[in-house]
Amino acid sequence: MKTGILTYQNTLNFGAALQCYALYRSIELMDIDVEIIDYRNTKIANSTRPISIATNRGRDKLSLRLLIKSSLLYPFVKSKQKAFDDFNKKHIKYSKKTYRSNDEIKHSMPTYDKYIIGSDQLWNYNINGLDTTYFMDFVDDKSKVFTYATSFGLSHIEKDKSPIYEAHLSELKNVSVREKKGAEIIKDLLGTEVNVVADPVLLLTENEWLSLIHNNYEYKNNQIVSYFLNYNTRSEFEKMLKSDKKVDDFKLIKLAGGISPRDFVDQNTIVNLSNGPIDFMRYIKESKMIFTDSFHATVFSILFKKKFVVFLSGNAGRDSRIIDLLNQYGLEDHIFNSDCNINQKINEDKINKINKLNREEGINFLKSYLSSNFSL
């Protein structure tokens, strides 16, 4: 049995890298020969360039100021890329061939007994430019294809794109998604019900994740971490820091989002722009509290039983995955608002039970499609 996974692997996003590893590792632990199909979507590859980051992925008009910002970011981006590359080379096996376009992968199709689409926002056209490769349109025998926890990251599919989604999704017979919103989108498009399963990160135990972390520095209990992907939410966080006296006597670690020149000279702020996936997990594990708008930062906060506060972006498609996750664990009170209690306690026993259930259901779902010897 040889299995190929198609996912986002050519990005500098912590969550994308760790969900990729988690799905790969979970299948590897089943003694199945598995590898990541090294497909490099052009839009995603371009988004990791310093000029793209400086211009907010092209949403801001290029100016002299942003060109200077891009040149200053260059060494950080190069260092970050090396950290991601080192992690991937050490822990993941890739296909021998690298594919850089839909035409290329169609004309030189990688051969596997099973093909997996997932996880992450593979069906979000805003991220990949509506690349139909992520529907496995290069595989003729769709009976060999199934999806695991694939996400749209959208509240709906725009009308002009609906026919494309309907055509490709209707060819996939074994589909699972990560959020209820994704299941609703497929129900609206095709009139069919699909499974909702846990993100791959939750398929590995806390101890399995901690085994990757090597503590070689002094831990100080007054550190808090901020990791933001959205401008509006990180602005809310900055306002909270200035006005809310509940958060005091801390050293703020900024992993991304809302970083300004003054942060580099502020004695209470540590800026870490060149970290890899291991550092991301370590900072969450070793910190007193996490403030974020990131789905995967929220997942790891739950896995490591940390105090955390989530800021919603206001984008229904993007927020739905976080809301579904918090509802499942009964942690809705961790969503930031004016009455939010940032010092709420974590019910570790409850989290452990839900983690165990998610892990068992997810692993059984994978086994049911990967081998005829397993069933749900």
Side-chain angles (χ1 to χ4, degrees):
M1 172 69 70
K2 189 172 183 179
T3 300
I5 300 172
L6 183 66
T7 187
Y8 290 150
Q9 89 294 340
N10 63 319
T11 177
L12 298 184
N13 179 278
F14 298 121
L18 292 169
Q19 64 82 27
C20 173
Y21 166 77
L23 186 56
Y24 169 87
R25 179 60 177 158
S26 297
I27 295 172
E28 186 181 49
L29 288 171
M30 299 176 196
D31 292 325
I32 291 175
D33 186 6
V34 58
E35 61 187 28
I36 300 295
I37 301 171
D38 195 9
Y39 177 71
R40 309 212 166 194
N41 174 270
T42 301
K43 185 172 182 177
I44 294 173
N46 289 338
S47 72
T48 65
R49 295 176 179 176
I51 191 67
S52 177
I53 296 172
T55 58
N56 193 20
R57 304 296 189 269
R59 288 187 285 270
D60 299 332
K61 188 176 181 180
L62 188 61
S63 64
L64 177 60
R65 179 181 67 83
L66 292 180
L67 278 173
I68 294 172
K69 181 180 178 182
S70 175
S71 64
L72 293 174
L73 283 172
Y74 181 79
F76 294 105
V77 174
K78 291 295 288 184
S79 179
K80 191 184 190 80
Q81 184 69 67
K82 184 180 184 307
F84 273 70
D85 289 345
D86 289 346
F87 174 81
N88 291 333
K89 288 176 183 177
K90 182 176 181 180
H91 297 290
I92 294 173
K93 182 173 73 171
Y94 287 90
S95 60
K96 292 180 180 179
K97 183 175 176 58
T98 296
Y99 305 90
R100 301 185 186 278
S101 71
N102 182 263
D103 286 339
E104 185 177 355
I105 200 169
K106 280 182 175 178
H107 285 97
S108 183
M109 188 188 86
T111 303
Y112 300 98
D113 298 296
K114 297 285 184 178
Y115 299 81
I116 305 176
I117 305 172
S119 175
D120 224 348
Q121 300 179 58
L122 303 188
W123 293 334
N124 187 333
Y125 45 77
N126 293 322
I127 292 177
N128 60 42
L130 192 49
D131 187 346
T132 57
T133 306
Y134 292 106
F135 294 105
M136 289 276 190
D137 63 348
F138 57 89
V139 179
D140 294 327
D141 186 356
K142 293 298 191 295
S143 68
K144 295 181 178 181
V145 178
F146 72 96
T147 79
Y148 183 83
T150 311
S151 175
F152 291 87
L154 302 165
S155 61
H156 65 282
I157 304 299
E158 295 175 358
K159 285 187 177 181
D160 63 321
K161 299 175 179 65
S162 291
I164 298 172
Y165 275 82
E166 289 176 14
H168 288 285
L169 287 172
S170 64
E171 293 183 338
L172 301 174
K173 307 305 178 186
N174 304 312
V175 177
S176 70
V177 293
R178 192 175 61 188
E179 296 95 33
K180 292 179 182 178
K181 177 58 69 175
E184 291 171 5
I185 289 174
I186 292 178
K187 181 70 181 295
D188 290 341
L189 289 172
L190 305 179
T192 57
E193 305 281 351
V194 295
N195 292 291
V196 178
V197 293
D199 185 88
V201 166
L202 293 166
L203 298 180
L204 299 180
T205 66
E206 179 183 5
N207 286 336
E208 284 169 329
W209 284 115
L210 293 178
S211 69
L212 296 176
I213 301 175
H214 305 289
N215 295 314
N216 55 4
Y217 64 97
E218 183 181 356
Y219 163 55
K220 297 181 179 179
N221 194 41
N222 67 337
Q223 295 177 345
I224 69 171
V225 164
S226 79
Y227 178 55
F228 287 91
L229 305 174
N230 180 278
Y231 176 79
N232 292 331
T233 49
R234 65 184 182 242
S235 295
E236 273 191 277
F237 170 66
E238 296 288 353
K239 289 177 184 177
M240 187 208 75
L241 280 185
K242 292 177 182 179
S243 61
D244 196 329
K245 302 303 181 184
K246 298 174 184 175
V247 182
D248 55 11
D249 188 28
F250 65 86
K251 189 172 285 292
L252 174 63
I253 300 172
K254 289 190 171 185
L255 300 182
I259 295 169
S260 64
R262 69 176 180 273
D263 291 326
F264 291 90
V265 296
D266 185 347
Q267 292 184 347
N268 289 321
T269 301
I270 300 172
V271 177
N272 285 284
L273 295 177
S274 56
N275 289 312
I278 298 293
D279 303 295
F280 171 75
M281 288 192 294
R282 179 186 294 136
Y283 277 120
I284 290 179
K285 173 60 181 175
E286 301 292 356
S287 290
K288 180 179 181 180
M289 183 173 291
I290 295 90
F291 295 89
T292 190
D293 64 356
S294 157
F295 173 78
H296 282 106
T298 305
V299 172
F300 277 102
S301 296
I302 293 172
L303 270 173
F304 295 156
K305 288 93 172 180
K306 307 301 295 187
K307 291 182 179 180
F308 69 93
V309 175
V310 177
F311 291 71
L312 298 181
S313 67
N315 181 314
R318 191 176 184 281
D319 291 339
S320 67
R321 55 185 179 161
I322 295 178
I323 293 171
D324 284 353
L325 178 73
L326 296 178
N327 286 341
Q328 184 182 24
Y329 285 86
L331 297 174
E332 303 91 335
D333 56 352
H334 287 247
I335 297 174
F336 177 77
N337 56 52
S338 58
D339 299 321
C340 179
N341 175 14
I342 66 174
N343 290 303
Q344 63 277 72
K345 293 182 179 180
I346 302 292
N347 186 330
E348 295 192 11
D349 288 339
K350 182 178 180 180
I351 287 176
N352 286 334
K353 288 178 182 178
I354 297 173
N355 284 343
K356 185 174 184 292
L357 179 62
N358 279 332
R359 187 165 56 252
E360 289 175 349
E361 289 182 347
I363 293 297
N364 283 337
F365 182 87
L366 285 172
K367 286 178 176 179
S368 71
Y369 286 106
L370 288 171
S371 173
S372 59
N373 296 325
F374 298 103
S375 61
L376 280 173

